[in-house]
Amino acid sequence: MSRLAGKTALVTGGSRGIGRGIALRLAGEGALVAVHYGNNEAAAKETVAEIEAAGGQAFAVGAELGVPGDAAALWAAFDAGLAAHSGGSGLDILVNNAGVGLYGVVGEVAEADFDRVFAINAKAPYFIIQQGLERLRDGGRVINISSGVTRIAYPITSAYSMTKGAINTLTLTLAQQLGPRGITVNAVAPGLVNTDLTAELREPKAQAEAAALSVFNRVGEPADIGDAVAFLASDDARWVTAQVLDATGGSHL
């Protein structure tokens, strides 16, 4: 497959979990993928090595998100990494995937934790996009990773759910702004996905209960989300913008 040959992509949080699945899929389509990590450089290098072993192209980009100056640091690392890898510049596909969870009903969430989840999940993508617009080529793609919890009520993820609601609104408004440049802006909303970050789902009873939420009676895999992102990143999705693609496997219908 080479639908993305000649394209450069940046996947934030691309070293693990869903982000890793996205990075692998975009690279498999021929894109040069910048695999961003916050603090686990080893995981990012493993993802890059796997991409290269399969004949793809990738490089790692390190920058902690949720701290002052995070977007500027990310783009400085991206620019340097891309120049060192290929001597090029610019970007075609930006995937805002990096995020953290936060569990607690309204009465249980501490203010500091609330601020942190918003800083990483909502503020960081906003300013990454803002500072990336001069790098993003006309006809490019912005793909934000949202969540099924914007459609499904989970009181225990109230603050986290709010951050993903913000991502959906950003997707809508940015699509209108960037339309004249031929840039599409969409979001993908996963449900429960088997990753190293959801280890609790490995237990058979928990896996069965989680699977039962979907009409397909299984839990999602990172490749399921990577495939959805690859579609939105391709020219096949040129007439699709401002959409939130539900990738929950029909959970809670």
Side-chain angles (χ1 to χ4, degrees):
M1 295 180 287
S2 58
R3 290 189 297 177
L4 302 179
K7 305 292 186 182
T8 299
L10 167 62
V11 181
T12 67
S15 65
R16 301 168 62 197
I18 290 173
R20 180 174 174 274
I22 294 169
L24 293 173
R25 185 68 168 85
L26 296 183
E29 290 279 4
L32 166 60
V33 180
V35 178
H36 162 261
Y37 66 93
N39 48 46
N40 194 336
E41 182 179 10
K45 288 184 174 180
E46 288 174 6
T47 301
V48 169
E50 183 171 352
I51 289 171
E52 292 178 338
Q57 299 183 74
F59 60 96
V61 174
E64 182 181 359
L65 301 184
V67 297
D70 52 2
L74 171 63
W75 286 118
F78 170 82
D79 291 342
L82 180 58
H85 186 277
S86 66
S89 62
L91 183 71
D92 301 287
I93 303 159
L94 171 60
V95 182
N96 285 302
N97 164 77
V100 295
L102 178 60
Y103 293 98
V105 297
V106 170
E108 299 171 342
V109 174
E111 186 172 355
D113 294 332
F114 182 95
D115 289 344
R116 179 174 180 268
V117 74
F118 264 86
I120 296 173
N121 293 8
K123 183 179 179 180
Y126 187 96
F127 287 98
I128 289 170
I129 291 170
Q130 181 194 78
Q131 296 179 31
L133 287 181
E134 63 184 22
R135 296 168 173 84
L136 189 62
R137 285 184 270 271
D138 290 356
R141 301 284 187 266
V142 176
I143 303 166
N144 300 316
I145 303 305
S146 178
S147 172
V149 296
T150 58
R151 172 178 65 82
I152 304 163
Y154 280 109
I156 199 168
T157 66
S158 57
Y160 171 82
S161 301
M162 288 174 66
T163 68
K164 295 304 185 178
I167 286 295
N168 290 357
T169 299
L170 175 61
T171 298
L172 175 66
T173 55
L174 194 66
Q176 185 176 53
Q177 177 184 341
L178 299 185
R181 292 181 54 191
I183 297 171
T184 68
V185 185
N186 293 288
V188 174
L192 290 174
V193 177
N194 281 320
T195 71
D196 58 343
L197 304 179
T198 55
E200 67 275 9
L201 295 180
R202 297 285 189 268
E203 195 274 322
K205 184 174 183 292
Q207 184 79 185
E209 291 174 349
L213 300 177
S214 164
V215 298
F216 302 119
N217 196 37
R218 72 173 176 86
V219 178
E221 298 294 339
D224 295 320
I225 312 307
D227 289 350
V229 171
F231 162 68
L232 292 174
S234 74
D235 190 57
D236 292 343
R238 62 192 176 277
W239 201 236
V240 179
T241 197
Q243 301 304 301
V244 177
L245 177 59
D246 188 295
T248 66
S251 294
H252 288 278
L253 292 183

